[in-house]
PDB file of all heavy atoms in Angstrom:
ATOM      1  N   SER A 213       4.129   2.000  11.999  1.00 96.00           N
ATOM      2  CA  SER A 213       3.216   0.998  12.570  1.00 96.00           C
ATOM      3  C   SER A 213       3.924   0.155  13.608  1.00 96.00           C
ATOM      4  O   SER A 213       3.403  -0.875  14.036  1.00 96.00           O
ATOM      5  CB  SER A 213       2.626   0.130  11.460  1.00 96.00           C
ATOM      6  OG  SER A 213       3.674  -0.483  10.750  1.00 96.00           O
ATOM      7  N   SER A 273       4.455 -15.687  15.317  1.00 97.00           N
ATOM      8  CA  SER A 273       3.878 -14.395  14.906  1.00 97.00           C
ATOM      9  C   SER A 273       2.613 -14.715  14.122  1.00 97.00           C
ATOM     10  O   SER A 273       2.336 -15.886  13.828  1.00 97.00           O
ATOM     11  CB  SER A 273       4.844 -13.634  13.987  1.00 97.00           C
ATOM     12  OG  SER A 273       5.024 -14.364  12.781  1.00 97.00           O
ATOM     13  N   THR A 274       1.892 -13.692  13.757  1.00 97.00           N
ATOM     14  CA  THR A 274       0.718 -13.938  12.920  1.00 97.00           C
ATOM     15  C   THR A 274       1.146 -14.435  11.545  1.00 97.00           C
ATOM     16  O   THR A 274       0.513 -15.325  10.971  1.00 97.00           O
ATOM     17  CB  THR A 274      -0.105 -12.643  12.765  1.00 97.00           C
ATOM     18  OG1 THR A 274      -0.196 -12.029  14.036  1.00 97.00           O
ATOM     19  CG2 THR A 274      -1.489 -12.922  12.254  1.00 97.00           C
ATOM     20  N   SER A 275       2.226 -13.857  11.028  1.00 97.00           N
ATOM     21  CA  SER A 275       2.708 -14.313   9.717  1.00 97.00           C
ATOM     22  C   SER A 275       3.070 -15.785   9.769  1.00 97.00           C
ATOM     23  O   SER A 275       2.767 -16.548   8.836  1.00 97.00           O
ATOM     24  CB  SER A 275       3.929 -13.491   9.290  1.00 97.00           C
ATOM     25  OG  SER A 275       3.570 -12.143   9.143  1.00 97.00           O
ATOM     26  N   TYR A 278      -0.145 -17.742   9.543  1.00 98.00           N
ATOM     27  CA  TYR A 278      -0.645 -17.904   8.172  1.00 98.00           C
ATOM     28  C   TYR A 278       0.104 -19.022   7.461  1.00 98.00           C
ATOM     29  O   TYR A 278      -0.489 -19.860   6.780  1.00 98.00           O
ATOM     30  CB  TYR A 278      -0.444 -16.612   7.378  1.00 98.00           C
ATOM     31  CG  TYR A 278      -1.488 -15.550   7.623  1.00 98.00           C
ATOM     32  CD1 TYR A 278      -1.144 -14.332   8.180  1.00 98.00           C
ATOM     33  CD2 TYR A 278      -2.815 -15.754   7.268  1.00 98.00           C
ATOM     34  CE1 TYR A 278      -2.096 -13.339   8.390  1.00 98.00           C
ATOM     35  CE2 TYR A 278      -3.774 -14.772   7.475  1.00 98.00           C
ATOM     36  CZ  TYR A 278      -3.404 -13.571   8.042  1.00 98.00           C
ATOM     37  OH  TYR A 278      -4.349 -12.604   8.239  1.00 98.00           O
ATOM     38  N   TYR A 299      -4.448  -5.810   3.771  1.00 89.00           N
ATOM     39  CA  TYR A 299      -3.080  -5.911   4.221  1.00 89.00           C
ATOM     40  C   TYR A 299      -2.136  -6.369   3.086  1.00 89.00           C
ATOM     41  O   TYR A 299      -2.314  -7.484   2.552  1.00 89.00           O
ATOM     42  CB  TYR A 299      -3.175  -6.964   5.318  1.00 89.00           C
ATOM     43  CG  TYR A 299      -1.981  -7.312   6.109  1.00 89.00           C
ATOM     44  CD1 TYR A 299      -1.131  -6.333   6.562  1.00 89.00           C
ATOM     45  CD2 TYR A 299      -1.734  -8.638   6.436  1.00 89.00           C
ATOM     46  CE1 TYR A 299      -0.048  -6.689   7.343  1.00 89.00           C
ATOM     47  CE2 TYR A 299      -0.664  -8.995   7.221  1.00 89.00           C
ATOM     48  CZ  TYR A 299       0.180  -8.018   7.659  1.00 89.00           C
ATOM     49  OH  TYR A 299       1.244  -8.353   8.413  1.00 89.00           O
ATOM     50  N   VAL A 345     -10.132 -10.064   7.798  1.00 98.00           N
ATOM     51  CA  VAL A 345      -9.287  -9.319   8.738  1.00 98.00           C
ATOM     52  C   VAL A 345     -10.239  -8.407   9.514  1.00 98.00           C
ATOM     53  O   VAL A 345     -10.947  -7.601   8.922  1.00 98.00           O
ATOM     54  CB  VAL A 345      -8.211  -8.499   8.009  1.00 98.00           C
ATOM     55  CG1 VAL A 345      -7.269  -7.847   9.011  1.00 98.00           C
ATOM     56  CG2 VAL A 345      -7.420  -9.378   7.043  1.00 98.00           C
ATOM     57  N   ASN A 349      -7.127  -4.007   8.257  1.00 96.00           N
ATOM     58  CA  ASN A 349      -6.072  -3.040   7.982  1.00 96.00           C
ATOM     59  C   ASN A 349      -6.065  -2.805   6.474  1.00 96.00           C
ATOM     60  O   ASN A 349      -5.787  -3.744   5.729  1.00 96.00           O
ATOM     61  CB  ASN A 349      -4.731  -3.629   8.452  1.00 96.00           C
ATOM     62  CG  ASN A 349      -3.521  -2.860   7.983  1.00 96.00           C
ATOM     63  OD1 ASN A 349      -3.656  -1.807   7.396  1.00 96.00           O
ATOM     64  ND2 ASN A 349      -2.330  -3.404   8.236  1.00 96.00           N
ATOM     65  N   ASP A 377      -8.138 -12.892  10.837  1.00 98.00           N
ATOM     66  CA  ASP A 377      -7.012 -12.180  11.433  1.00 98.00           C
ATOM     67  C   ASP A 377      -7.597 -11.143  12.388  1.00 98.00           C
ATOM     68  O   ASP A 377      -8.196 -10.154  11.959  1.00 98.00           O
ATOM     69  CB  ASP A 377      -6.218 -11.520  10.298  1.00 98.00           C
ATOM     70  CG  ASP A 377      -4.971 -10.790  10.776  1.00 98.00           C
ATOM     71  OD1 ASP A 377      -4.957 -10.324  11.928  1.00 98.00           O
ATOM     72  OD2 ASP A 377      -4.027 -10.692   9.979  1.00 98.00           O
ATOM     73  N   VAL A 379      -5.856  -9.554  14.869  1.00 98.00           N
ATOM     74  CA  VAL A 379      -4.765  -8.974  15.657  1.00 98.00           C
ATOM     75  C   VAL A 379      -5.125  -7.602  16.260  1.00 98.00           C
ATOM     76  O   VAL A 379      -4.592  -7.220  17.291  1.00 98.00           O
ATOM     77  CB  VAL A 379      -3.431  -8.854  14.865  1.00 98.00           C
ATOM     78  CG1 VAL A 379      -2.853 -10.198  14.550  1.00 98.00           C
ATOM     79  CG2 VAL A 379      -3.587  -8.015  13.624  1.00 98.00           C
ATOM     80  N   PHE A 380      -6.047  -6.874  15.592  1.00 98.00           N
ATOM     81  CA  PHE A 380      -6.404  -5.541  16.111  1.00 98.00           C
ATOM     82  C   PHE A 380      -7.721  -5.555  16.894  1.00 98.00           C
ATOM     83  O   PHE A 380      -8.308  -4.498  17.135  1.00 98.00           O
ATOM     84  CB  PHE A 380      -6.521  -4.540  14.951  1.00 98.00           C
ATOM     85  CG  PHE A 380      -5.220  -4.276  14.231  1.00 98.00           C
ATOM     86  CD1 PHE A 380      -5.025  -4.705  12.924  1.00 98.00           C
ATOM     87  CD2 PHE A 380      -4.188  -3.592  14.859  1.00 98.00           C
ATOM     88  CE1 PHE A 380      -3.834  -4.458  12.254  1.00 98.00           C
ATOM     89  CE2 PHE A 380      -2.994  -3.339  14.206  1.00 98.00           C
ATOM     90  CZ  PHE A 380      -2.816  -3.775  12.901  1.00 98.00           C
ATOM     91  N   GLY A 409      -2.053 -12.073  18.584  1.00 98.00           N
ATOM     92  CA  GLY A 409      -0.669 -12.119  19.044  1.00 98.00           C
ATOM     93  C   GLY A 409      -0.287 -10.923  19.885  1.00 98.00           C
ATOM     94  O   GLY A 409      -1.012  -9.923  19.950  1.00 98.00           O
ATOM     95  N   SER A 411       2.026  -8.875  19.326  1.00 98.00           N
ATOM     96  CA  SER A 411       2.567  -7.723  18.604  1.00 98.00           C
ATOM     97  C   SER A 411       1.593  -6.557  18.627  1.00 98.00           C
ATOM     98  O   SER A 411       2.010  -5.409  18.731  1.00 98.00           O
ATOM     99  CB  SER A 411       2.965  -8.097  17.175  1.00 98.00           C
ATOM    100  OG  SER A 411       1.854  -8.292  16.373  1.00 98.00           O
ATOM    101  N   LYS A 412       0.307  -6.849  18.536  1.00 98.00           N
ATOM    102  CA  LYS A 412      -0.671  -5.757  18.580  1.00 98.00           C
ATOM    103  C   LYS A 412      -1.372  -5.706  19.935  1.00 98.00           C
ATOM    104  O   LYS A 412      -1.653  -4.630  20.433  1.00 98.00           O
ATOM    105  CB  LYS A 412      -1.727  -5.924  17.484  1.00 98.00           C
ATOM    106  CG  LYS A 412      -1.180  -6.269  16.110  1.00 98.00           C
ATOM    107  CD  LYS A 412      -0.387  -5.155  15.477  1.00 98.00           C
ATOM    108  CE  LYS A 412       0.024  -5.532  14.078  1.00 98.00           C
ATOM    109  NZ  LYS A 412       1.354  -5.187  13.702  1.00 98.00           N
ATOM    110  N   PRO A 417       5.829  -6.500  19.271  1.00 98.00           N
ATOM    111  CA  PRO A 417       6.126  -7.342  18.100  1.00 98.00           C
ATOM    112  C   PRO A 417       7.455  -8.075  18.218  1.00 98.00           C
ATOM    113  O   PRO A 417       7.644  -9.137  17.635  1.00 98.00           O
ATOM    114  CB  PRO A 417       6.145  -6.345  16.939  1.00 98.00           C
ATOM    115  CG  PRO A 417       6.347  -4.996  17.556  1.00 98.00           C
ATOM    116  CD  PRO A 417       5.744  -5.067  18.923  1.00 98.00           C
ATOM    117  N   LYS A 420       7.842 -11.827  19.470  1.00 98.00           N
ATOM    118  CA  LYS A 420       7.568 -12.894  18.501  1.00 98.00           C
ATOM    119  C   LYS A 420       6.737 -14.010  19.122  1.00 98.00           C
ATOM    120  O   LYS A 420       7.167 -15.161  19.229  1.00 98.00           O
ATOM    121  CB  LYS A 420       8.871 -13.480  17.919  1.00 98.00           C
ATOM    122  CG  LYS A 420       9.818 -12.497  17.271  1.00 98.00           C
ATOM    123  CD  LYS A 420       9.193 -11.647  16.197  1.00 98.00           C
ATOM    124  CE  LYS A 420       8.727 -12.393  14.965  1.00 98.00           C
ATOM    125  NZ  LYS A 420       8.078 -11.443  14.032  1.00 98.00           N
ATOM    126  N   TYR A 503      -5.298   2.264  11.883  1.00 98.00           N
ATOM    127  CA  TYR A 503      -5.117   3.039  10.652  1.00 98.00           C
ATOM    128  C   TYR A 503      -6.369   3.835  10.318  1.00 98.00           C
ATOM    129  O   TYR A 503      -7.467   3.495  10.759  1.00 98.00           O
ATOM    130  CB  TYR A 503      -4.779   2.104   9.471  1.00 98.00           C
ATOM    131  CG  TYR A 503      -3.545   1.299   9.761  1.00 98.00           C
ATOM    132  CD1 TYR A 503      -3.641   0.046  10.350  1.00 98.00           C
ATOM    133  CD2 TYR A 503      -2.288   1.837   9.524  1.00 98.00           C
ATOM    134  CE1 TYR A 503      -2.496  -0.676  10.688  1.00 98.00           C
ATOM    135  CE2 TYR A 503      -1.149   1.127   9.851  1.00 98.00           C
ATOM    136  CZ  TYR A 503      -1.257  -0.130  10.430  1.00 98.00           C
ATOM    137  OH  TYR A 503      -0.126  -0.818  10.764  1.00 98.00           O
TER     138      TYR A 503
HETATM  139  C1  PLP B 120      -3.745  -7.346   9.642  1.00 51.95           C
HETATM  140  C2  PLP B 120      -2.383  -7.720  10.172  1.00 51.95           C
HETATM  141  N1  PLP B 120      -2.130  -8.987  10.526  1.00 51.95           N
HETATM  142  C3  PLP B 120      -0.935  -9.348  11.021  1.00 51.95           C
HETATM  143  C4  PLP B 120       0.081  -8.434  11.180  1.00 51.95           C
HETATM  144  C5  PLP B 120       1.419  -8.878  11.685  1.00 51.95           C
HETATM  145  O1  PLP B 120       1.355  -9.407  12.939  1.00 51.95           O
HETATM  146  P1  PLP B 120       2.642 -10.192  13.510  1.00 51.95           P
HETATM  147  O2  PLP B 120       3.622  -9.164  13.946  1.00 51.95           O
HETATM  148  O3  PLP B 120       2.060 -10.954  14.663  1.00 51.95           O
HETATM  149  O4  PLP B 120       3.131 -11.081  12.435  1.00 51.95           O
HETATM  150  C6  PLP B 120      -0.131  -7.105  10.808  1.00 51.95           C
HETATM  151  C7  PLP B 120       0.948  -6.102  10.961  1.00 51.95           C
HETATM  152  O5  PLP B 120       0.816  -4.942  10.658  1.00 51.95           O
HETATM  153  C8  PLP B 120      -1.395  -6.740  10.298  1.00 51.95           C
HETATM  154  O6  PLP B 120      -1.634  -5.471   9.917  1.00 51.95           O
END
Side-chain angles (χ1 to χ4, degrees):
S213 58
S273 64
T274 316
S275 297
Y278 279 117
Y299 184 43
V345 185
N349 168 6
D377 183 332
V379 292
F380 295 112
S411 73
K412 314 292 185 222
K420 304 306 295 177
Y503 302 92

